[in-house]
Amino acid sequence: MSWQTILAIGSGGFIGAVLRAYLNGLISHRVPHELPYGTLGVNLIGSFVMGVLIAYFMYTTVFSLHAKSFFSTGILGALTTYSTFAVETLLLINGGHLALAAANMGLNAFGSVFAAGGGFYLVKYLLKA
């Protein structure tokens, strides 16, 4: 991996991590919850945007390898929060909230796949690819 790619991923990761903290806090503050909706929201948003980017990368030649790494591995890799999701789910289980833990797992896993697919097929449709 070149130093330019490492720099692209690292700078994107900085932006994604800050964006994750901001969005997670914003969603958690605005939506009363027992389920960690901040993490869910960040995972769904990140998955949708990843679907959009991957489709765009596949059907256009606008972005360089470094730009693709910046956006996908850097920003979106740091934005989505599966390690946080895992710990929050474990805390729900340890707190005896098995139904909420199962809901959290299902919503994050399936919701993220559907969000990524939605973003991908939206761009594919818009580009008529």
Side-chain angles (χ1 to χ4, degrees), residues 3-123:
W3 70 267
Q4 295 97 333
T5 302
I6 292 168
L7 184 61
I9 292 169
S11 56
F14 171 79
I15 293 167
V18 171
L19 190 57
R20 175 180 68 200
Y22 176 76
L23 288 173
N24 194 332
L26 181 70
I27 294 167
S28 293
H29 178 71
R30 300 223 188 267
V31 179
H33 63 285
E34 291 182 9
L35 196 67
Y37 286 113
T39 301
L40 174 62
V42 168
N43 285 336
L44 295 178
I45 291 165
S47 295
F48 179 81
V49 173
M50 182 66 88
V52 166
L53 286 179
I54 295 304
Y56 201 74
F57 294 161
M58 286 177 67
Y59 297 111
T60 67
T61 57
V62 174
F63 291 99
S64 69
L65 174 63
H66 302 309
K68 291 176 183 179
S69 296
F70 173 79
F71 288 114
S72 61
T73 308
I75 293 177
L76 292 173
L79 174 66
T80 57
T81 57
Y82 273 88
S83 57
T84 304
F85 150 74
V87 169
E88 288 173 342
T89 303
L90 180 63
L91 292 174
L92 288 170
I93 292 168
N94 286 342
H97 305 287
L98 299 181
L100 284 175
N104 196 40
M105 288 187 287
L107 288 168
N108 274 282
F110 293 109
S112 295
V113 170
F114 287 126
F120 181 90
Y121 289 111
L122 173 67
V123 169

